[in-house]
Amino acid sequence: MHDTAPIAEAAAWLAGLSEALSAGDVPRALSLFAEDCYWRDLVAFTWNVKTLEGKPQIAAMLEATLARTGPAAWQVTRAARRPEGVEAWFSFTTMTGSGLGIFRLEGGKCRTILTTLQSLRGFEEPLGATRPFGVVHGANRGRETWSERREREAASLGASEDPYCLIIGGGQGGIMLGARLKQLGVPTIVIERNAKAGDSWRRRYRSLVLHDPVWYDHLPYLPFPPNWPVFTPKDKMGDWLEMYVKVMEIAYWGGTECVGARFDAAAKRWTVELIRDGRPVTLRPAQLVFATGAYGPPKVIDFPGAQQFRGEMLHSSQYSAGAKYAGKRCVVIGAASSGHDVALDLWEAGADVTMVQRSPTTVVRAATLLELAFDLYSEAAVESGIDVDTADLLGAAPPFALQPVAQRALYDRIRVRDAAFYEKLTATGFLLDFGPDETGLMMKAYRTGSGYYIDVGASQLIIDGEIKVKSGVEVERLTPDGIRLADGTELPADVVIQSTGFQSMHEVVARIVSREVADRIGTCWGLGSGTRHDPGPWHGELRNMYKPTVQEALWFQGGNLALSRFFSKFLALQIKARMEGIGTTVYGAPR
Amino acid sequence: MHDTAPIAEAAAWLAGLSEALSAGDVPRALSLFAEDCYWRDLVAFTWNVKTLEGKPQIAAMLEATLARTGPAAWQVTRAARRPEGVEAWFSFTTMTGSGLGIFRLEGGKCRTILTTLQSLRGFEEPLGATRPFGVVHGANRGRETWSERREREAASLGASEDPYCLIIGGGQGGIMLGARLKQLGVPTIVIERNAKAGDSWRRRYRSLVLHDPVWYDHLPYLPFPPNWPVFTPKDKMGDWLEMYVKVMEIAYWGGTECVGARFDAAAKRWTVELIRDGRPVTLRPAQLVFATGAYGPPKVIDFPGAQQFRGEMLHSSQYSAGAKYAGKRCVVIGAASSGHDVALDLWEAGADVTMVQRSPTTVVRAATLLELAFDLYSEAAVESGIDVDTADLLGAAPPFALQPVAQRALYDRIRVRDAAFYEKLTATGFLLDFGPDETGLMMKAYRTGSGYYIDVGASQLIIDGEIKVKSGVEVERLTPDGIRLADGTELPADVVIQSTGFQSMHEVVARIVSREVADRIGTCWGLGSGTRHDPGPWHGELRNMYKPTVQEALWFQGGNLALSRFFSKFLALQIKARMEGIGTTVYGAPR
């Protein structure tokens, strides 16, 4: 039997909210919320990616946005009882479109609510019943076939016709956003330095396999088939992206680099200088998206003595295959994901490997994460009706501020489950942590995108002494024959690989637009948690990602496959609304 | 509220059947059937594609197969009340695998039952929860990456290792069967004369768009995305097939022709001679599948006087674009699908077009079919939970013998709906029919694969006199300047296009294997309906398609996308079972 109480309770609560908001009565609306409450809005009320924390912030947001948003038609679509209270899904409309959301009640009051814009009225995506017909039946001497139309568009877009949007970077983030914008009818070009879509995966080191499972990695519109492997090998991923670009009919310029861009605030157009297949091209898009990789350019450390070093030094992003290092003494500086991956790949190739670990690393075994952390993204979830879009919205419902509690609980379980493993790992001298507040890998990923490793094999090599580790020590300088550490140790080395991470994406803006614009925008990514490398103030959302920045018409898109998939939708809606001249007054715009 | 009566009624009936069959009591089982009853079995009981019609045939099949099939675990999974009675879905097992089926009760007795084998025990497809892992976590100096494995397999299969199965023809039919066999772990090579997968679509005439809607056209495992057009343009279809081959990791040899094949009955192996990229290759597969196109080689008529004709003569299969015929007098011989399509394409290119219609054509407008005939394959069906696999099984439930009744009823509606259209069309002298028994297009498709046209525009041109038609008359001979018809009319012509259809697929066998083997096998396709070009005796299933033929280890795969999709599963299971040495005694084998 169905438990009908939750849906009745949810519907009553939502009716109360609806009445209060219709009456413009913000205090009455707030009376429906718990004291410690959160409203996360993705583009529906704020035209921003914004979490309002506590009643005063929610009140201010509603006072500012209510009249111009005009939310209506609130409707609970399903509800369930959870340990903490009732969780309900709902739909609603605004003056410009329709939305979906999730709220959670505790003791009859709302603890958290998520509102998301899903479509723009009059500009709904042609999908399912409204998909294109594909042919005009009847006789037509001017008939243009699909191929002819594709050829004409390829010839005109970027030549006689400027794209409305230019996306710099044709990896997963740029491709997914390109697909969404194509669906919304926004003329868009995606440019990519590599020759072909997928090359950014293909060019990485040979043993790379995605660390997240397939259920978490789907692209929009075309999920991976049921025979796709749990963990996607990099070249298979490359092929899928290349296919996807073709199937989605994305205008994709491989072999193209952006060398400069400036914004004309009067004309509301960018002037973007490209080199396409060696020839200069100038485009004037209205919107410019940086999708150059979540973490920006490689962070290369200029060690003292580097000039004298007689071996080879490279950054992990330049590392592709270990074969040529067989039998050589290799030192990997850095002990996060790429440091471990490179060390494992080198060991498999027969190199002598030492890892220099300068600060502690959060390590979780892949099998453990698969078992404990991907309940929303799993075959079991699919079988219980939770498809990837449902999982994404459920995952977006809790605000960042509340995630540490859940993550700490998860890591309490993980530490117990893998106690023997962690004991052996730390016995080697390896510095293990779970973040400054014991919240583990995911919070590190959001805060700094660094300092963690999903163990797919390197940790056992460390335990077995096959990969040597020097921990808790900085590099003092390079010598002609290797590395001298701050504790005086000398590490002889034929090869030094800096697995030292990446800079913020805004450094790409500095190179392409200007240092001044980049500095005004500030760094990308991170929550402002105040933890190491993620300075405050607290933002409650990822800095500068997927939302308006201080520079008009400049956007950032990035992150892993899941974040790129989910947020590309909201970024695409923001861009489409601007193209159509829909009012998009931003609440809480960056200054 | 649910109507629980149907499921109870269905469960009671199935329990009765289960008990009777477990007891080996065939008369008791038959007492549960109506007098006019049908049992359609796809590989589950008969290792054949077989419909048993009436109690004596069903009794004989059960007597022969029951002991070796060992059906058990019969379970109703859902049931619904239909106008005629209860329709129920069920699952069951056999000694070798598990199956699904559908039965329909009328007055408490079974009118029709469908049993299908869905998987082989111990050889279930790795899908969903059992999909491959994609990586072996841990350190491994002998690690073989996905790309390395793919390269090794590509280098060895067909060189040091013979494929178990060779599929001749890499169009949709060969590709879908190739994907199924790959999933089942059957080493298979698909060979295709064209350079690339999809070329067989790309090379066709420029304006071609699929005549069936997208919901009917899905390939296995990877359905078209929701933004895919209703009617797929040919080049987009070509690209999809090319992508599909890559994603499904099918061993696909483009640029390869089969020039000969002979079966060694003692060694149970074929010796197949290929020309691959100009070089001879010999393979020795155990199973040989002809997937060379549903209807075999072009049927080219050797008209008297052809040598004297000063214009150009070609078969519709050679026709690609009308541009070069602008302003020329073109005569199209034949008035079925390709005749109409070519005539429309020529008219659009600015040619002067006359169609010679030698016998009546069934014409149905595409929009009408979409509205009335695709209820199982539509967005509405998808929204009500009927996915393509569900629709396929529902569509397979009624035996061919009962289809004329439903089809006649459909065409009664169609004639009323489009009465004005048909009146105008026949007023031009165009000979319209709905088959010898008024059953329309689908039955013509099953019986002869010819004599019909889904109107996408040419009929209006005929009505308007833009395409001229000479009807009910044979071609007497070609003259130097055109065509003389049997009624004495002279049609001047610069170009003659024979849209005269295709020969049976067994003619390909005659060319590749031998005339003697081809003649022993007999023609492919058709039901034995006794109507024109579909001689009896009655088969009740498509002749020689998807099932054992009189030639051991020789199979035919083909048909439109929907038939290729559905039957490729059963053909793949038959081949896999033989590879694994599972008992596959065929009931009702051809002699």
Side-chain angles (χ1 to χ4, degrees):
Chain A
M1 285 296 292
H2 251 41
D3 178 5
T4 54
I7 203 154
E9 184 181 341
W13 183 87
L14 192 64
L17 181 71
S18 169
E19 280 160 32
L21 296 183
S22 296
D25 188 344
V26 171
R28 175 142 62 104
L30 287 177
S31 72
L32 300 166
F33 284 76
E35 280 314 306
D36 180 22
C37 58
Y38 298 83
W39 186 317
R40 186 179 200 194
D41 182 62
L42 305 180
V43 187
F45 283 67
T46 60
W47 287 101
N48 204 344
V49 172
K50 197 82 190 162
T51 297
L52 297 316
E53 305 185 345
K55 291 190 175 187
Q57 286 189 17
I58 294 173
M61 182 275 282
L62 288 175
E63 294 289 0
T65 64
L66 201 48
R68 63 181 183 243
T69 303
W74 301 87
Q75 175 115 36
V76 171
T77 52
R78 59 195 147 120
R81 195 166 298 286
R82 302 267 174 249
E84 327 76 52
V86 165
E87 175 184 276
W89 288 65
F90 62 97
S91 58
F92 64 102
T93 63
T94 69
M95 286 180 189
T96 49
S98 29
L100 289 178
I102 298 175
F103 61 82
R104 290 172 182 178
L105 304 182
E106 291 180 21
K109 304 265 185 177
C110 180
R111 182 80 198 286
T112 71
I113 183 168
L114 167 72
T115 47
T116 71
L117 187 68
Q118 292 288 321
S119 64
L120 292 164
R121 188 161 311 119
F123 305 102
E124 290 82 3
E125 292 186 41
L127 285 174
T130 62
R131 68 178 75 217
F133 209 58
V135 62
V136 180
H137 286 154
N140 171 14
R141 283 207 163 127
R143 180 188 299 278
E144 184 181 47
T145 67
W146 174 82
S147 301
E148 289 158 2
R149 174 177 62 76
R150 292 273 289 145
E151 277 166 31
R152 175 177 55 76
E153 287 174 355
S156 65
L157 189 66
S160 57
E161 182 203 354
D162 263 311
Y164 181 78
C165 180
L166 181 72
I167 301 173
I168 303 175
Q172 62 212 29
I175 287 172
M176 289 194 237
L177 181 61
R180 303 264 196 202
L181 289 169
K182 176 81 187 181
Q183 269 301 105
L184 285 166
V186 176
T188 300
I189 294 175
V190 180
I191 66 163
E192 165 61 37
R193 196 166 22 188
N194 290 307
K196 293 199 312 259
D199 282 353
S200 53
W201 283 98
R202 292 189 192 97
R203 289 163 55 108
R204 298 197 63 197
Y205 56 93
R206 70 179 268 283
S207 59
L208 177 65
V209 167
L210 266 65
H211 291 185
D212 290 324
V214 60
W215 305 280
Y216 191 60
D217 299 332
H218 292 301
L219 278 65
Y221 310 117
L222 190 63
F224 294 111
N227 55 355
W228 198 263
V230 175
F231 296 104
T232 307
K234 63 160 183 123
D235 293 326
K236 193 167 172 72
M237 189 67 207
D239 288 352
W240 183 262
L241 290 176
E242 188 179 352
M243 169 284 286
Y244 186 86
V245 163
K246 198 160 189 178
V247 166
M248 293 295 150
E249 303 184 10
I250 295 168
Y252 192 96
W253 291 9
T256 304
E257 259 194 284
C258 181
V259 292
R262 59 180 187 281
F263 188 63
D264 180 339
K268 305 263 183 207
R269 284 271 167 180
W270 289 91
T271 300
V272 184
E273 307 295 347
L274 308 176
I275 306 291
R276 184 185 189 191
D277 296 328
R279 287 188 305 276
V281 177
T282 303
L283 296 180
R284 289 176 53 77
Q287 308 290 339
L288 187 62
V289 180
F290 287 81
T292 49
Y295 310 127
K299 196 188 285 174
V300 180
I301 302 175
D302 188 15
F303 291 111
Q307 295 301 321
Q308 283 73 52
F309 178 56
R310 285 192 292 245
E312 180 185 351
M313 182 155 71
L314 65 161
H315 187 266
S316 63
S317 59
Q318 299 164 299
Y319 176 90
S320 67
K324 64 176 170 173
Y325 303 124
K328 295 204 175 167
R329 294 164 306 176
C330 300
V331 174
V332 177
I333 300 175
S337 289
S338 60
H340 277 84
D341 279 348
V342 166
L344 174 56
D345 200 77
L346 283 167
W347 181 89
E348 289 190 347
D352 173 82
V353 192
T354 303
M355 185 188 271
V356 176
Q357 184 189 28
R358 298 170 305 158
S359 55
T361 310
T362 300
V363 176
V364 199
R365 301 168 90 178
T368 303
L369 276 183
L370 195 61
E371 191 182 314
L372 298 182
F374 284 101
D375 47 330
L376 285 179
Y377 300 93
S378 63
E379 202 65 34
V382 171
E383 277 161 20
S384 71
I386 300 178
D387 66 9
V388 65
D389 293 332
T390 306
D392 280 352
L393 215 62
L394 276 171
F400 277 112
L402 291 183
Q403 292 189 18
V405 178
Q407 292 295 316
R408 257 192 301 271
L410 172 65
Y411 281 86
D412 285 347
R413 294 173 65 200
I414 287 175
R415 265 181 303 219
V416 170
R417 183 188 189 279
D418 291 337
F421 165 76
Y422 287 127
E423 197 173 314
K424 283 185 275 182
L425 185 61
T426 50
T428 68
F430 185 92
L431 296 176
L432 176 74
D433 81 350
F434 292 94
D437 51 355
E438 308 297 318
T439 52
L441 188 152
M442 185 74 97
M443 294 315 298
K444 273 200 177 180
Y446 286 131
R447 289 164 174 172
T448 65
S450 66
Y452 57 86
Y453 172 54
I454 298 176
D455 174 33
V456 294
S459 297
Q460 190 61 45
L461 290 178
I462 293 171
I463 291 169
D464 295 342
E466 294 285 326
I467 294 174
K468 289 158 283 195
V469 182
K470 281 295 293 180
S471 290
V473 62
E474 286 294 333
V475 173
E476 186 184 293
R477 58 179 293 113
L478 265 63
T479 66
D481 301 312
I483 290 178
R484 177 178 305 149
L485 300 176
D487 65 0
T489 318
E490 301 258 355
L491 289 177
D494 305 307
V495 185
V496 171
I497 295 148
Q498 294 199 23
S499 295
T500 40
F502 298 84
Q503 301 173 65
S504 159
M505 281 174 79
H506 87 300
E507 290 299 327
V508 183
V509 176
R511 216 174 56 216
I512 287 178
V513 185
S514 73
R515 168 57 59 192
E516 184 265 331
V517 168
D519 286 348
R520 272 204 299 127
I521 292 171
T523 57
C524 297
W525 209 261
L527 302 168
S529 62
T531 59
R532 186 163 167 267
H533 298 315
D534 182 27
W538 173 249
H539 294 267
E541 294 286 350
L542 290 170
R543 280 192 208 90
N544 282 317
M545 299 302 297
Y546 324 117
K547 62 186 173 187
T549 66
V550 73
Q551 171 61 56
E552 184 181 353
L554 185 154
W555 312 82
F556 294 97
Q557 153 78 352
N560 62 16
L561 286 151
L563 287 167
S564 294
R565 169 185 67 241
F566 182 65
F567 281 104
S568 58
K569 171 151 201 168
F570 304 105
L571 181 45
L573 287 171
Q574 292 173 78
I575 290 172
K576 173 69 173 178
R578 281 161 176 81
M579 182 174 110
E580 301 298 345
I582 294 168
T584 55
T585 308
V586 177
Y587 178 79
R591 278 165 302 177
Chain B
M1 284 300 293
H2 251 41
D3 179 5
T4 52
I7 203 156
E9 185 180 341
W13 184 87
L14 192 64
L17 181 71
S18 169
E19 281 160 31
L21 296 184
S22 295
D25 188 344
V26 172
R28 176 140 64 102
L30 287 177
S31 71
L32 299 166
F33 284 77
E35 279 313 308
D36 180 21
C37 58
Y38 298 83
W39 188 317
R40 186 179 200 196
D41 181 63
L42 305 180
V43 186
F45 283 67
T46 60
W47 288 102
N48 202 346
V49 173
K50 196 85 191 159
T51 298
L52 296 316
E53 306 185 344
K55 292 191 176 188
Q57 285 188 18
I58 294 174
M61 182 274 281
L62 289 176
E63 295 287 2
T65 64
L66 202 47
R68 63 182 182 240
T69 304
W74 302 86
Q75 176 115 36
V76 170
T77 52
R78 58 192 147 122
R81 196 166 296 286
R82 303 266 174 252
E84 328 75 51
V86 166
E87 174 183 280
W89 289 65
F90 62 97
S91 58
F92 64 102
T93 63
T94 69
M95 284 179 190
T96 49
S98 30
L100 289 178
I102 297 175
F103 61 81
R104 290 174 182 176
L105 304 181
E106 290 181 21
K109 303 264 186 178
C110 180
R111 184 79 198 287
T112 70
I113 184 167
L114 167 72
T115 46
T116 70
L117 186 69
Q118 292 288 322
S119 64
L120 291 165
R121 188 160 313 118
F123 304 102
E124 290 82 3
E125 293 186 40
L127 286 174
T130 62
R131 68 178 75 217
F133 209 59
V135 63
V136 180
H137 286 154
N140 172 13
R141 283 209 162 124
R143 180 188 298 279
E144 184 181 47
T145 68
W146 175 82
S147 302
E148 289 158 2
R149 175 178 59 78
R150 293 273 288 145
E151 277 165 33
R152 176 177 54 77
E153 288 173 355
S156 65
L157 189 64
S160 57
E161 182 203 355
D162 264 309
Y164 181 78
C165 179
L166 181 73
I167 301 174
I168 303 175
Q172 61 212 31
I175 287 172
M176 289 193 239
L177 181 61
R180 303 264 196 200
L181 289 170
K182 176 82 186 176
Q183 268 302 105
L184 285 166
V186 177
T188 300
I189 294 174
V190 180
I191 66 163
E192 164 62 36
R193 193 163 28 188
N194 290 306
K196 292 199 313 260
D199 282 353
S200 53
W201 282 98
R202 293 190 191 97
R203 288 163 57 108
R204 300 197 60 194
Y205 56 93
R206 71 178 266 285
S207 59
L208 177 65
V209 167
L210 266 66
H211 292 186
D212 290 324
V214 60
W215 304 281
Y216 191 59
D217 299 333
H218 293 300
L219 277 67
Y221 311 116
L222 190 64
F224 294 111
N227 55 355
W228 199 262
V230 176
F231 295 103
T232 307
K234 65 167 180 114
D235 294 327
K236 193 168 172 70
M237 189 67 207
D239 288 353
W240 183 262
L241 290 176
E242 189 179 351
M243 169 284 286
Y244 185 87
V245 163
K246 199 159 186 176
V247 166
M248 293 295 150
E249 304 184 8
I250 296 168
Y252 191 95
W253 290 10
T256 304
E257 262 194 281
C258 181
V259 292
R262 59 179 189 282
F263 188 64
D264 178 338
K268 305 265 182 204
R269 284 271 167 178
W270 289 91
T271 299
V272 184
E273 308 294 345
L274 307 177
I275 306 291
R276 184 183 189 192
D277 296 329
R279 287 189 305 276
V281 178
T282 303
L283 295 180
R284 290 177 51 78
Q287 308 290 337
L288 187 63
V289 180
F290 286 81
T292 50
Y295 308 130
K299 196 187 287 174
V300 180
I301 302 176
D302 187 14
F303 291 113
Q307 295 302 321
Q308 284 72 52
F309 178 56
R310 286 191 291 245
E312 180 184 352
M313 184 154 72
L314 66 162
H315 186 265
S316 62
S317 57
Q318 299 164 300
Y319 177 90
S320 68
K324 63 176 171 174
Y325 303 124
K328 296 206 173 165
R329 296 165 303 176
C330 300
V331 174
V332 177
I333 300 175
S337 288
S338 61
H340 277 84
D341 279 349
V342 166
L344 173 58
D345 200 77
L346 284 167
W347 181 89
E348 289 190 347
D352 173 83
V353 192
T354 303
M355 184 188 272
V356 176
Q357 184 189 27
R358 297 170 305 158
S359 54
T361 311
T362 299
V363 177
V364 198
R365 302 168 90 178
T368 303
L369 276 185
L370 196 58
E371 192 182 312
L372 299 181
F374 283 102
D375 47 329
L376 284 180
Y377 300 94
S378 65
E379 203 65 33
V382 171
E383 278 162 18
S384 71
I386 300 177
D387 66 9
V388 65
D389 292 331
T390 306
D392 280 352
L393 214 63
L394 276 171
F400 277 111
L402 291 183
Q403 291 189 20
V405 178
Q407 291 294 318
R408 259 194 298 272
L410 172 65
Y411 280 86
D412 286 346
R413 294 173 64 199
I414 287 175
R415 267 182 301 221
V416 170
R417 184 187 188 279
D418 291 337
F421 165 76
Y422 286 127
E423 198 173 313
K424 283 186 277 185
L425 185 61
T426 50
T428 66
F430 185 92
L431 297 176
L432 177 74
D433 80 348
F434 293 95
D437 51 355
E438 308 297 318
T439 50
L441 188 151
M442 186 73 98
M443 294 315 298
K444 273 198 176 179
Y446 286 132
R447 287 163 174 171
T448 65
S450 67
Y452 56 86
Y453 172 54
I454 297 176
D455 176 33
V456 293
S459 296
Q460 191 60 47
L461 290 178
I462 292 170
I463 291 169
D464 295 342
E466 294 284 328
I467 294 174
K468 289 159 284 195
V469 182
K470 281 294 294 178
S471 290
V473 60
E474 286 293 335
V475 173
E476 186 184 293
R477 56 180 293 113
L478 265 63
T479 67
D481 300 314
I483 289 179
R484 178 179 301 152
L485 300 176
D487 65 0
T489 318
E490 300 258 356
L491 290 178
D494 305 309
V495 186
V496 171
I497 295 148
Q498 294 198 25
S499 296
T500 39
F502 297 84
Q503 301 173 65
S504 159
M505 282 174 79
H506 86 299
E507 292 298 328
V508 183
V509 175
R511 217 173 54 216
I512 288 179
V513 184
S514 73
R515 168 57 60 192
E516 184 264 331
V517 168
D519 287 349
R520 271 203 301 128
I521 292 171
T523 58
C524 297
W525 208 261
L527 303 168
S529 64
T531 59
R532 185 161 167 270
H533 299 315
D534 182 26
W538 173 248
H539 294 267
E541 294 287 348
L542 290 170
R543 277 192 210 91
N544 281 319
M545 299 301 297
Y546 323 117
K547 62 186 173 187
T549 65
V550 73
Q551 170 60 55
E552 183 181 355
L554 186 154
W555 311 83
F556 294 98
Q557 151 78 352
N560 62 16
L561 286 151
L563 287 167
S564 295
R565 170 185 66 241
F566 183 65
F567 281 104
S568 58
K569 172 153 200 164
F570 303 106
L571 181 44
L573 288 172
Q574 291 173 77
I575 290 171
K576 173 69 172 175
R578 281 161 176 80
M579 182 173 109
E580 301 298 345
I582 292 168
T584 56
T585 307
V586 177
Y587 178 79
R591 277 163 305 177

